[in-house]
Amino acid sequence: MPGNKAVAYQGPGKVTVEDTDYPEFELKEGPGVNPANVGRKVPHGAIVKAIATNICGSDQHMVRGRTTAPQGLILGHEITGEVVELGRDVEFIKVGDMVSVPFNISCGRCRNCKEGKTGICENVNPDRPGSAYGYVDMGGWPGGQAEYVLVPYADWNLLKFPDREQAMEKILDLAMLSDIFPTGYHGCVTAGVGTGSTVYIAGAGPVGLAAGVSAFLLGAAVVIIGDLNKERLAQARSFGCETVDVSKGDPKDQIEQILGVPEVDCSVDAVGFEARGHGRDAATEQPATVLNTLMEVTRAGGAIGIPGLYVTGDPGASTEAAKVGSLSLRLGLGWAKSHAFFTGQCPVMRYNRQLMMAILHDRVQIAKAVNASPIPLDQAPQGYADFDKGAARKYVLDPHGLLGSRA
């Protein structure tokens, strides 16, 4: 049996690459594993050899110490790879299949899954609906920033690529299907982006950039992305977005300079709870800033997609209210403008097959747009550190050295 190496959270600001157990078809006791899940049999699962597994901004929240993640938690929920072993109940997925693994873990059997709401599956997390690999309070399923990972309900969860050779040619693009591409797309779909739309996206990290690509794919006329990071704003401009530097002041004024009016048709929050202020307040954390700004700049009757992460427990928050996810929102403004708000995990399976086809048939180059950058698994700590400093890159871990010089 092969060994396994994985990236583990070791406390605020620190991750390490550790030797860990090769997956079995049973959940074992370990850091973050829900006690009610210990001993859970997984005959419906598959073991996937990770060919590409990405560092996500959601992981970074944990590594900064901004969640209740326990020390030793194996990280990683963006997984693309090859099936190497099957549980006895798997019927359709085969050993050797190249697959994308949605970050949502779902059973395919509960009411929510049957309604397409795979981000809030009722059967995989004993504490509450919704689960993900390697994430705090998500049931304790081991993460996929590893050489090998267990995927439950394999026939349901895994998206098989049609051709292995073609998949390897486009592996960095396909690696974005596990999370950020569907997440950015979901933000735009729920915001109502369509032909001729004007769109404001808060945040030029990988999800924000993926949302920008998605907005164009959906037919937007103008896509504006706002951020504090000049390198990330330059990355947004590289594929046709207009940009707003929120360190220079109110986004509304800069949007008016671009469009001639201070409002957009729809907007997307790709920042989440670690938002900073605008203008002179850009150096301070103000977690409600983005949501309040989007209500201000979105036209009456418009919608706001909120794929950016908000949490119920933030020990690093600056106020007692924010530590439990309570923010000072101008809900009255949103109510007065009849805004629609869409929150929660992206249900990846609602979009991943369609986006796969767009990639395979050269309708989109998502890896280029987000500046996908492969690094070896043992360089994960440096990748986390550089990403935390604002690198305009999407770091893709290469556990088995199969990505070569792709960039």
Side-chain angles (χ1 to χ4, degrees), residues 26-340:
E26 178 182 329
L27 276 182
K28 304 291 187 180
E29 187 175 2
V33 179
N34 191 301
N37 261 347
V38 173
R40 183 171 182 164
K41 306 294 184 183
V42 190
H44 43 68
I47 294 172
V48 172
K49 176 182 178 179
I51 291 174
T53 176
N54 314 333
I55 296 175
C56 181
S58 299
D59 299 319
Q60 199 67 266
H61 292 307
M62 289 188 291
V63 172
R64 290 188 187 121
R66 297 300 298 269
T67 71
T68 55
Q71 184 174 337
L73 181 71
I74 302 301
L75 299 170
H77 57 267
E78 299 190 16
I79 309 156
T80 308
E82 177 186 1
V83 175
V84 294
E85 195 172 342
L86 297 171
R88 68 175 185 270
D89 293 345
V90 178
E91 188 174 358
F92 303 111
I93 289 291
K94 305 300 181 187
V95 169
D97 285 348
M98 289 278 290
V99 295
S100 178
V101 184
F103 80 89
N104 323 108
I105 302 174
S106 57
C107 72
R109 304 169 185 185
C110 69
R111 175 180 176 178
N112 284 340
C113 284
K114 290 179 179 180
E115 292 177 355
K117 301 171 183 175
T118 56
I120 44 174
C121 173
E122 298 173 337
N123 289 332
V124 288
N125 181 355
D127 283 344
R128 63 187 184 200
S131 188
Y133 303 90
Y135 212 84
V136 58
D137 296 332
M138 288 289 189
W141 298 86
Q145 287 174 14
E147 294 175 322
Y148 299 92
V149 63
L150 172 67
V151 176
Y153 303 101
D155 281 326
W156 165 255
N157 281 305
L158 294 178
L159 173 65
K160 178 184 173 181
F161 301 140
D163 180 82
R164 181 187 182 89
E165 185 175 340
Q166 183 187 32
M168 286 305 297
E169 288 176 359
K170 298 180 179 292
I171 190 66
L172 290 185
D173 293 287
L174 295 171
M176 304 304 137
L177 290 173
S178 57
D179 183 353
I180 67 163
F181 195 8
T183 293
Y185 193 84
H186 179 64
C188 290
V189 168
T190 55
V193 178
T195 303
S197 295
T198 58
V199 188
Y200 178 63
I201 298 166
V207 170
L209 296 173
V213 170
S214 300
F216 283 127
L217 197 59
L218 288 163
V222 183
V223 179
I224 306 169
I225 296 186
D227 205 293
L228 303 160
N229 184 311
K230 290 179 172 54
E231 288 185 12
R232 290 181 172 179
L233 291 173
Q235 186 65 28
R237 289 192 294 272
S238 74
F239 60 93
C241 297
E242 302 286 345
T243 57
V244 162
D245 184 344
V246 299
S247 70
K248 295 182 178 179
D250 194 327
K252 181 173 67 175
D253 298 329
Q254 297 177 66
I255 289 170
E256 185 169 17
Q257 291 174 12
I258 295 167
L259 296 177
V261 293
E263 289 186 326
V264 292
D265 296 323
C266 36
S267 57
V268 177
D269 175 2
V271 177
F273 73 105
E274 287 192 72
R276 294 185 176 276
H278 297 150
R280 289 177 295 179
D281 296 325
T284 61
E285 190 170 298
Q286 298 184 9
T289 298
V290 167
L291 291 172
N292 287 331
T293 295
L294 296 189
M295 285 186 271
E296 188 174 8
V297 304
T298 303
R299 69 175 182 87
I304 300 171
I306 311 174
L309 177 68
Y310 289 86
V311 296
T312 56
D314 175 9
S318 58
T319 67
E320 291 302 311
K323 286 180 180 179
V324 293
S326 180
L327 309 181
S328 297
L329 297 179
R330 293 186 65 193
L331 190 58
L333 175 61
W335 190 93
K337 296 177 78 173
S338 294
H339 284 154

